[in-house]
């Protein structure tokens, strides 16, 4: 009986293991020290994922209180590449976790491909919009209408806003 359980455990690990191996995960925000100092307190409630194919960095910042999000929003916008979009999403979100309904995911290229935030990003015109921006810092804003309420925050006028909140799940890119 013990041998059977051990074999089943090994099989389960081999089946599930590769799904998580696509990303390395750090349970804190490991974004560059050069980012605004006002983001420092958010490191503890953040998670860093690196991957999947290349070492792209994804900083997931969870929010549970509207004032905390609203005070951080203008500083979050400072790390977005000029010309890069903001994707509006609804929860749950892969990067934030399935029980999180509000937050921000900042997608960045690998460290060896640091971007100049002042130079407008030039996306490649591809059907998958996220792949088009993989050489820039762009934002996914996970909107819940309570903590993250679009009626209470300014969206930059010079930024493309791509609303995917009502996109059919099976057609997500």
């Amino acid at each position: 009986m013990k041998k059977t359980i051990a074999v089943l455990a090994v099989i389960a690990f081999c089946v599930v293991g590769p799904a998580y191996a696509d990303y390395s995960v750090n349970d804190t925000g490991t974004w560059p020290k050069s980012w605004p100092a006002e983001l420092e307190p958010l490191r503890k409630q953040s998670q860093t994922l690196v991957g999947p194919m290349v070492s792209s960095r994804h900083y997931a910042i969870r929010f549970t209180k509207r004032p905390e999000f609203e005070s951080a929003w203008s500083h979050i916008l400072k790390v977005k590449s000029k010309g890069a979009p903001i994707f509006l999403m609804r929860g749950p979100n892969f990067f934030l976790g399935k029980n999180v309904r509000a937050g921000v995911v900042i997608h960045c290229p690998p460290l060896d491909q640091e971007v100049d935030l002042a130079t407008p990003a030039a996306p490649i015109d591809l059907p998958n919009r996220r792949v088009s921006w993989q050489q820039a810092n762009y934002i996914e804003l996970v909107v819940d209408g309570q903590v993250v309420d679009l009626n209470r925050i300014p969206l930059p006028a010079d930024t493309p806003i791509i609303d995917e909140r009502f996109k059919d799940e099976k057609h997500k890119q």
Side-chain angles (χ1 to χ4, degrees):
M1 179 73 171
K2 288 182 182 179
K3 204 178 231 184
T4 304
I5 293 173
V7 169
L8 289 175
V10 169
I11 291 171
F13 177 76
C14 289
V15 170
V16 175
Y20 293 103
D22 287 345
Y23 288 92
S24 66
V25 180
N26 190 329
D27 287 330
T28 187
T30 61
W31 53 77
K33 298 268 186 217
S34 61
W35 284 17
E38 293 83 359
L39 298 178
E40 284 300 312
L42 302 176
R43 286 187 190 271
K44 295 176 190 169
Q45 69 199 53
S46 302
Q47 189 174 47
T48 302
L49 293 90
V50 178
M53 299 296 191
V54 295
S55 297
S56 295
R57 298 163 293 141
H58 314 274
Y59 304 108
I61 308 171
R62 299 170 199 90
F63 289 96
T64 57
K65 298 176 184 135
R66 182 190 303 165
E68 184 179 42
F69 166 71
E70 289 177 358
S71 68
W73 179 239
S74 63
H75 305 292
I76 291 168
L77 289 173
K78 292 175 186 174
V79 302
K80 182 184 76 61
S81 298
K82 185 175 181 179
I86 296 173
F87 288 87
L88 302 179
M89 311 295 294
R90 65 178 172 191
N93 177 280
F94 170 79
F95 295 100
L96 293 172
K98 62 174 130 171
N99 294 325
V100 179
R101 300 285 177 227
V104 175
V105 183
I106 305 167
H107 299 276
C108 304
L111 282 172
D112 61 349
Q113 298 174 19
E114 249 341 285
V115 296
D116 179 358
L117 297 177
T119 303
I124 304 164
D125 189 21
L126 297 173
N128 183 338
R129 294 176 178 157
R130 282 169 181 71
V131 172
S132 301
W133 291 99
Q134 66 186 0
Q135 300 304 314
N137 293 354
Y138 70 91
I139 293 173
E140 274 186 24
L141 182 59
V142 180
V143 179
D144 69 342
Q146 295 172 5
V147 175
V148 177
D149 181 351
L150 295 177
N151 294 316
R152 296 182 54 91
I153 61 167
L155 294 175
D158 61 346
T159 297
I161 306 297
I162 302 168
D163 193 348
E164 295 187 349
R165 291 174 293 162
F166 307 106
K167 193 174 183 179
D168 187 359
E169 289 296 316
K170 61 185 172 188
H171 293 103
K172 262 190 180 174
Q173 295 181 7

